[in-house]
């Protein structure tokens, strides 16, 4: 999974989404979060790996660490409405849901999961030993 739209978060009792759970690069909910060692802003590991110059978008520091346990706890308590089947699931259950949901398809070439619509596009682009990651924006 490459991106989680912040609009898919299910909030209760006038809760507000903690801005510290939003990646400054993709503007989605952080996935496999790392944080800047200086300002502690979280980023998706995938977003950091795609940066040409690996530096914090906020303070320009170039060192990242695994996200703080409190950030991971906040993430694990978030609930999302899935794009595939409108099920409400916890953040920690997303990978399992994607692998089990009948609305997702696994590419046998690159072993990544895609919604049925994205999978059709992916098939035209995927080549053996060269995985292509699609951004659902």
């Amino acid at each position: 999974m490459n991106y989680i739209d912040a609009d898919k978060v299910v909030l209760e009792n006038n809760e507000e989404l903690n801005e510290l759970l939003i990646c400054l690069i993709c503007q989605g909910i952080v996935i496999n979060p790392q944080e800047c060692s200086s300002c502690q802003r979280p980023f998706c590991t995938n977003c950091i790996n795609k940066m040409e110059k690996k530096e914090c978008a906020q303070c320009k520091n170039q060192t990242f660490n695994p996200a703080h346990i409190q950030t991971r706890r906040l993430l694990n308590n978030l609930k999302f409405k899935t794009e595939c089947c409108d099920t409400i699931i916890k953040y920690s259950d997303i990978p399992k849901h994607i692998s089990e949901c009948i609305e997702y398809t696994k590419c046998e070439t690159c072993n990544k999961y895609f919604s049925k619509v994205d999978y059709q596009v992916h098939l035209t682009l995927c080549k053996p030993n060269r995985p292509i990651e699609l951004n659902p924006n």
Side-chain angles (χ1 to χ4, degrees):
M1 173 174 288
N2 301 329
Y3 178 80
I4 302 174
D5 190 335
D7 292 338
K8 295 293 181 183
V9 175
V10 176
L11 299 173
E12 299 172 0
N13 303 325
N14 296 325
E15 281 181 301
E16 289 188 23
L17 183 60
N18 188 328
E19 71 175 20
L20 296 178
L21 301 180
I22 305 291
C23 174
L24 287 177
I25 309 244
C26 70
Q27 295 299 302
I29 301 297
V30 290
I31 300 173
N32 299 324
Q34 298 260 337
E35 64 183 32
C36 171
S37 64
S38 178
C39 70
Q40 282 77 47
R41 280 306 300 253
F43 295 87
C44 302
T45 297
N46 212 19
C47 288
I48 293 170
N49 292 337
K50 289 180 181 178
M51 283 192 255
E52 193 170 304
K53 187 174 181 183
K54 295 184 184 349
E55 66 179 23
C56 175
Q58 182 165 306
C59 73
K60 307 302 181 204
N61 180 46
Q62 296 181 349
T63 306
F64 297 90
N65 298 317
H68 191 274
I69 191 167
Q70 296 227 247
T71 301
R72 293 193 311 268
R73 282 183 183 150
L74 285 171
L75 283 169
N76 286 330
N77 287 326
L78 285 181
K79 293 180 183 172
F80 296 86
K81 187 173 186 179
T82 64
E83 291 184 28
C84 53
C85 61
D86 290 333
T87 302
I88 295 177
I89 60 173
K90 291 178 77 172
Y91 176 90
S92 57
D93 293 334
I94 291 173
K96 181 178 187 239
H97 179 80
I98 289 174
S99 68
E100 294 176 354
C101 181
I102 61 170
E103 299 297 323
Y104 275 91
T105 304
K106 182 177 180 180
C107 174
E108 296 303 322
T109 303
C110 68
N111 293 320
K112 294 185 185 244
Y113 289 90
F114 298 92
S115 68
K116 289 183 179 181
V117 173
D118 288 342
Y119 181 67
Q120 295 305 316
V121 174
H122 173 76
L123 283 178
T124 65
L125 302 171
C126 187
K127 297 185 177 29
N129 301 319
R130 193 176 141 227
I132 305 271
E133 294 190 7
L134 299 178
N135 190 343
N137 289 347

